[in-house]
Amino acid sequence: PVGPDWSSEGVPAGWGSWKIDNAKGKLYLDGSRAHSGKVAAVLQGGESMCYIATMPVETGRRYVTWVYAWPARIGGPHTAAFDLRWQDSQGHWCNEGANKRTLARRAQEWQKLATGATAPQGAARAVILLSAEGLEDADQVWFDDAAFCQVGE
């Protein structure tokens, strides 16, 4: 995916990335701690950064989405989150009131972060953000097994 200030640094196929400060933090793939399969996507250090994927949606259709997260540390300024947001057909953010955010609650274990939503009026794409904020240089968050599915007719 592409967007303002999005990058392809350290991303799995079909994903993009974003960092608030390009000089801080690292994004990479790591085979030492995958939830399943061979690699997990890692965010390390940096003030605020994320992996980004977009999927086409139809207004009024219901979707579910999830990812597994393994944060090294949680609490205070340290967050690991899974966001579902929306863009219109021009790639502009829309319907911010319909955004969903799920936070990781436990450190040093895999946990499923999931949400569901009906695509709001004007949305042409769902945007999935696997994010971390407040990470110190050595802090890491692993993400793996992300999915996005339409449910029902």
Side-chain angles (χ1 to χ4, degrees):
V2 295
D5 303 321
W6 296 7
S7 168
S8 59
E9 174 191 349
V11 301
W15 289 76
S17 66
W18 174 86
K19 295 194 286 187
I20 197 164
D21 183 341
N22 286 327
K24 296 182 180 179
K26 296 189 318 188
L27 300 97
Y28 60 95
L29 303 179
D30 179 19
S32 71
R33 184 172 280 129
H35 179 259
S36 71
K38 296 182 180 178
V39 297
V42 182
L43 300 174
Q44 179 178 340
E47 296 171 17
S48 179
M49 57 187 168
C50 63
Y51 287 101
I52 305 166
T54 62
M55 281 70 61
V57 297
E58 294 179 38
T59 296
R61 298 273 188 188
R62 180 106 178 125
Y63 298 88
V64 294
T65 184
W66 64 86
V67 70
Y68 286 85
W70 197 103
R73 182 164 39 160
I74 292 294
H78 313 287
T79 63
F82 179 52
D83 291 280
L84 171 61
R85 298 185 184 176
W86 310 98
Q87 286 183 337
D88 63 20
S89 61
Q90 304 302 308
H92 300 112
W93 298 110
C94 68
N95 295 294
E96 291 180 18
N99 291 350
K100 304 277 186 158
R101 173 168 258 213
T102 305
L103 295 171
R105 301 287 182 201
R106 298 176 308 278
Q108 300 186 7
E109 67 180 79
W110 284 109
Q111 57 209 278
K112 186 177 187 179
L113 308 180
T115 192
T118 299
Q121 187 66 36
R125 285 186 286 277
V127 181
I128 304 301
L129 306 172
L130 314 179
S131 65
E133 296 175 5
L135 299 182
E136 296 176 20
D137 289 346
D139 290 339
Q140 298 164 301
V141 178
W142 286 259
F143 292 99
D144 200 2
D145 298 329
F148 183 85
C149 307
Q150 180 181 323
V151 292
E153 295 273 338

